Amino acid sequence: MLSVAALGLLSVMALSPASAQATSGDLFGASRVAGRSAVLKATAYNSLPNQTDSTPHITATGTRTRPGVIAMSRDMLKLFPYGTRVSIQDLSGRYNFSGRVFIVEDTMHARKTNQVDIWMPTYREAINFGTSTVRVTALR
């Protein structure tokens, strides 16, 4: 029997086991996490030096920032490693990400936890996004 604290943790993280086996050709082990999901705080960022490091248009994996790129907090990289393709569902209903596929290619400052950061092309779009609670689900 789970304690009340354990049940609370499970409901916050909403993790489900991976339903796919790794294949020799998977990118960064992404297929090993297919089906896994987590409820996270979502924010948005864009490619300004004060929001990133000294290479604002280059992600942690060495790719260029572009629509569909997301950054995961370092603790979430264990669940959604680089290269994982995910869907995002905004639990507040303000944003419709239906049908969009995002890919984990960046990370956040170490002080951030249980969070996803969605890349936006402009500062104004990132500010207007604000924060939201989302469900991130790994795709096959």
Side-chain angles (χ1 to χ4, degrees):
M1 181 148 229
L2 292 175
S3 69
V4 173
L7 285 172
L9 179 60
L10 287 174
S11 66
V12 170
M13 293 303 294
L15 297 177
S16 61
S19 61
Q21 296 297 320
T23 62
S24 60
D26 68 347
L27 177 67
F28 300 111
S31 73
R32 289 185 292 239
V33 298
R36 220 174 247 189
S37 76
V39 174
L40 305 171
K41 176 182 176 181
T43 53
Y45 74 109
N46 71 322
S47 297
L48 291 177
N50 65 340
Q51 293 183 29
T52 62
D53 61 14
S54 61
T55 57
H57 294 280
I58 305 299
T59 68
T61 59
T63 63
R64 302 249 337 145
T65 53
R66 64 194 180 285
V69 166
I70 59 172
M72 281 288 177
S73 56
R74 294 166 195 232
D75 61 324
M76 289 292 105
L77 286 173
K78 295 172 190 154
L79 296 174
F80 305 104
Y82 292 130
T84 304
R85 295 182 185 285
V86 301
S87 65
I88 297 177
Q89 175 191 10
D90 179 23
L91 299 179
S92 73
R94 290 185 305 158
Y95 299 98
N96 182 5
F97 297 121
S98 163
R100 289 191 59 191
V101 175
F102 297 87
I103 185 165
V104 179
E105 291 187 357
D106 214 349
T107 193
M108 303 168 75
H109 192 280
R111 73 178 179 272
K112 305 285 185 173
T113 60
N114 296 318
Q115 194 167 335
V116 60
D117 218 1
I118 303 167
W119 186 85
M120 304 270 176
T122 68
Y123 175 76
R124 179 61 38 213
E125 287 175 272
I127 291 299
N128 286 341
F129 181 83
T131 64
S132 190
T133 301
V134 299
R135 179 180 310 281
V136 176
T137 303
L139 304 173
R140 295 182 195 279

